[in-house]
Amino acid sequence: MTQSAQDYPGERLGLPREGSGSIARIGRRAGALFIDYGAAYLISGFFGWDPLAILAIFAGIQIVFIPTLQGSPGHRILGLRLVRLDGAWTGLWRPVVRTLLLVVVVPAVIWDADQRGLHDKAAGTILLRA
């Protein structure tokens, strides 16, 4: 029996197993999504809780905060940051691409061995613990 190609998510990317700089795990990701979507839902009250308003506000939160704070409010509250694979600033177009794919949902629930969703792979980003 052979040993697996990697022992933990992010190993083949040269990331640590735990702590700062390691891959963000599902619990924190889900919590951040809950916080961001909850904020979008509350803000949408000004628009009669219209489902399209909720989605647009959620997308706006992602697109505005990722390039400015290295993550959405939910990410930052839960100690996560979004960076390019090489660790650099995401720039302006990557958050837009990532958010459009995140809103579609399907790319976000399909992961690779490093727990990177298709939306992150397409944008060349990675969600790490801060």
Side-chain angles (χ1 to χ4, degrees):
M1 183 174 208
T2 61
Q3 186 178 8
S4 66
Q6 67 179 24
D7 292 329
Y8 60 91
E11 181 182 23
R12 69 185 175 100
L13 299 174
L15 300 173
R17 179 185 300 265
E18 298 174 347
S20 182
S22 66
I23 296 283
R25 300 302 197 268
I26 185 68
R28 288 181 190 235
R29 290 173 186 259
L33 182 64
F34 180 77
I35 290 169
D36 294 338
Y37 194 80
Y41 181 80
L42 291 174
I43 295 168
S44 75
F46 294 108
F47 304 99
W49 287 281
D50 179 8
L52 288 177
I54 297 169
L55 203 55
I57 293 166
F58 175 79
I61 289 170
Q62 301 295 308
I63 291 169
V64 168
F65 287 103
I66 287 175
T68 57
L69 297 178
Q70 285 191 320
S72 69
H75 291 149
R76 300 308 294 167
I77 288 168
L78 295 178
L80 304 175
R81 64 188 171 94
L82 188 82
V83 295
R84 284 189 350 206
L85 242 129
D86 61 5
W89 178 59
T90 59
L92 299 174
W93 69 269
R94 292 176 201 281
V96 173
V97 169
R98 183 183 188 273
T99 300
L100 291 175
L101 292 172
L102 182 62
V103 168
V104 176
V105 177
V106 174
V109 296
I110 300 173
W111 297 349
D112 67 5
D114 293 312
Q115 294 183 356
R116 290 179 62 217
L118 291 180
H119 63 302
D120 278 325
K121 289 182 76 82
T125 58
I126 189 165
L127 191 59
L128 302 173
R129 291 182 62 186

